[in-house]
Amino acid sequence: MKRRIGILTSGGDCPGLNAAIRGVARASYEMFDCEIVGIHDGYRGLIEGDTQEMERSQFSGILTLGGTILGTSRTPFRNMRKIEDDHVDKVEAMKKTYKNLKLDCLVTLGGNGTHKTANLLSEEGLNVIGLPKTIDNDLYGTDFTFGFHTAMDIATDVIDRIHTTAASHGRVMVIEIMGNKAGWLTLYSGVAGGADVILIPEIPYRIEEVAKVVERRARNNKGFTIIAVAEGAMNKEEAKMKKKEREANRAATHYSASADVAQQLRDMVGVEARAVVPGHIQRGGSPSAYDRVLSTQFGVHAAELIRDEIFGVTVALKGNQITHNKLKDIAGVPKLVPLDDQMVTIAKDMGISFGEKD
Ligand code: F6P
């Protein structure tokens, strides 16, 4: 029996997407008779029927390639059921494309939003298998998503490079790491880069406490301080605000978490402070060896699930085992850094400040 597999990548890109696509394709071609249809730019392509019959050769030479050969887009889940100006019923359109293409299953590579729509399509009767990707590592049910370790390596390299210039000039350097809701990337790269202060969305900070670290280091003849701040970090006052109010407040003041922290430290302590925003560099380029392996493992497991006709699931890493979760159990459940996370405790035991009260 020939199986027709649709595959799409949705949401923000990350290193490892092509390695995972390759894993699904190669293992499928090896294990059973199949045809693969590439869907362009995530759910946009599925809605609009923008697809391509793939050749086996197209999955060759892409293991180390950054980005995604299929293209991606953000098609927010909250709008999936909304009929907008174009009068398109997006869910019906996606089901129609699936039917027209005579697909036996759909493989969706993405983060939280992607998994919510994957679950919706599964509930609508499509055979769906998810693969967990995001540099944010904020997907419930898997220890790690692919893309996270590469981004951690990049962010750590940024911190390392900032370290030497910070020490030379005796400056406070505030490095803004990606992650709006979840602080995993800031936490791990902050520990790896030897940051003195780590500020994450899950632990609202007091700038007075951060200033105390800078002053204490200066008293101990350490003229520089490295602060790793997540894009979505907030102080205790901001944490009490609604999201819209917080964003307006940020826009009216210093635009970004790092600029905000740097300016407040200049005002409060009178130090030379600089903000550095590596931004999308953290999502670019070739996947690390770890992510190549994880993406391949995830891709191959997805092919095994197709072979065994297990649908409505997403692939996951638990301990050292590659396994899967039901989409309905994980869709829409964000994985934030718990306050008692072991890595938080380890960082605190190392003397790293999270900007809380001493
Ligand atoms: O989801 C990954 C991520 O890089 C987040 O860390 C970041 O907040 C967001 O995407 C940025 O989105 P965009 O690429 O749309 O600017």
Side-chain angles (χ1 to χ4, degrees):
M1 181 183 81
K2 183 171 276 181
R3 292 174 170 92
R4 276 180 62 80
I5 304 165
I7 184 160
L8 63 81
T9 53
S10 178
D13 72 341
C14 76
L17 278 168
N18 289 324
I21 292 170
R22 172 180 173 271
V24 178
R26 277 186 62 151
S28 297
Y29 286 125
E30 285 298 319
M31 289 192 289
F32 45 82
D33 193 12
C34 71
E35 287 169 348
I36 300 183
V37 181
I39 296 160
H40 295 154
D41 302 342
Y43 292 117
R44 184 200 66 74
L46 193 61
I47 294 165
E48 296 176 11
D50 182 3
T51 64
Q52 162 190 18
E53 296 288 329
M54 304 289 285
E55 300 289 331
R56 191 171 178 159
S57 61
Q58 289 176 278
F59 300 104
S60 197
I62 61 169
L63 172 64
T64 63
L65 198 64
T68 159
I69 57 166
L70 297 174
T72 188
S73 66
R74 291 195 189 276
T75 320
F77 171 75
R78 65 177 178 280
N79 295 340
M80 282 299 178
R81 292 272 186 204
K82 251 191 222 163
I83 308 290
E84 297 180 89
D85 293 347
D86 56 9
H87 304 294
V88 174
D89 183 329
K90 299 182 202 65
V91 177
E92 285 309 314
M94 289 191 281
K95 286 163 68 178
K96 198 167 156 210
T97 304
Y98 182 95
K99 201 167 161 233
N100 288 347
L101 291 170
K102 297 189 169 48
L103 295 181
D104 295 300
C105 71
L106 175 68
V107 180
T108 61
L109 286 69
N112 271 311
T114 304
H115 276 77
K116 282 195 257 182
T117 300
N119 184 46
L120 183 158
L121 292 175
S122 170
E123 284 171 352
E124 289 287 325
L126 308 194
N127 293 331
V128 185
I129 296 173
L131 263 78
K133 71 88 223 194
T134 163
I135 66 162
D136 294 344
N137 196 38
D138 61 347
L139 207 77
Y140 185 75
T142 185
D143 293 348
F144 290 112
T145 52
F146 66 85
F148 173 69
H149 280 83
T150 309
M152 177 170 63
D153 289 348
I154 298 168
T156 303
D157 185 52
V158 171
I159 298 174
D160 287 350
R161 286 168 192 279
I162 292 296
H163 229 119
T164 59
T165 165
S168 306
H169 284 267
R171 282 176 175 158
V172 173
M173 298 298 272
V174 188
I175 303 128
E176 185 168 312
I177 310 293
M178 271 189 164
N180 231 325
K181 293 189 189 126
W184 294 108
L185 191 53
T186 310
L187 176 61
Y188 275 66
S189 57
V191 169
D196 306 298
V197 179
I198 293 176
L199 304 177
I200 58 175
E202 294 88 341
I203 307 179
Y205 67 87
R206 280 189 201 287
I207 197 68
E208 294 79 6
E209 299 304 320
V210 181
K212 276 186 202 165
V213 176
V214 173
E215 289 170 330
R216 187 167 60 234
R217 284 178 58 81
R219 279 198 305 276
N220 293 337
N221 295 324
K222 297 265 191 183
F224 72 95
T225 300
I226 301 291
I227 302 173
V229 54
E231 194 185 357
M234 56 188 109
N235 62 39
K236 290 199 189 268
E237 285 68 44
E238 287 175 310
K240 288 181 203 144
M241 298 175 188
K242 294 223 161 69
K243 191 175 169 223
K244 279 218 164 97
E245 195 188 344
R246 191 162 56 236
E247 282 167 0
N249 180 58
R250 185 57 63 76
T253 53
H254 301 114
Y255 311 109
S256 72
S258 56
D260 199 14
V261 169
Q263 185 59 48
Q264 289 189 72
L265 291 174
R266 280 193 284 270
D267 294 345
M268 197 170 281
V269 195
V271 283
E272 245 196 314
R274 297 276 193 275
V276 178
V277 185
H280 290 77
I281 289 171
Q282 295 160 93
R283 290 218 316 245
S286 189
S288 65
Y290 180 95
D291 272 334
R292 290 178 202 183
V293 172
L294 186 65
S295 302
T296 302
Q297 288 175 302
F298 279 175
V300 171
H301 190 58
E304 289 165 354
L305 292 167
I306 298 170
R307 179 198 60 199
D308 300 340
E309 299 185 354
I310 299 171
F311 302 116
V313 295
T314 189
V315 179
L317 173 73
K318 287 183 192 171
N320 280 327
Q321 291 301 310
I322 305 295
T323 176
H324 52 272
N325 295 306
K326 289 200 171 114
L327 276 171
K328 68 177 174 54
D329 292 340
I330 64 99
V333 190
K335 186 183 75 175
L336 303 179
V337 178
L339 299 185
D340 61 350
D341 185 74
Q342 198 177 24
M343 190 60 84
V344 172
T345 311
I346 284 167
K348 285 183 180 171
D349 289 346
M350 289 284 293
I352 298 172
S353 168
F354 285 77
E356 299 163 290
K357 206 166 169 46
D358 278 342

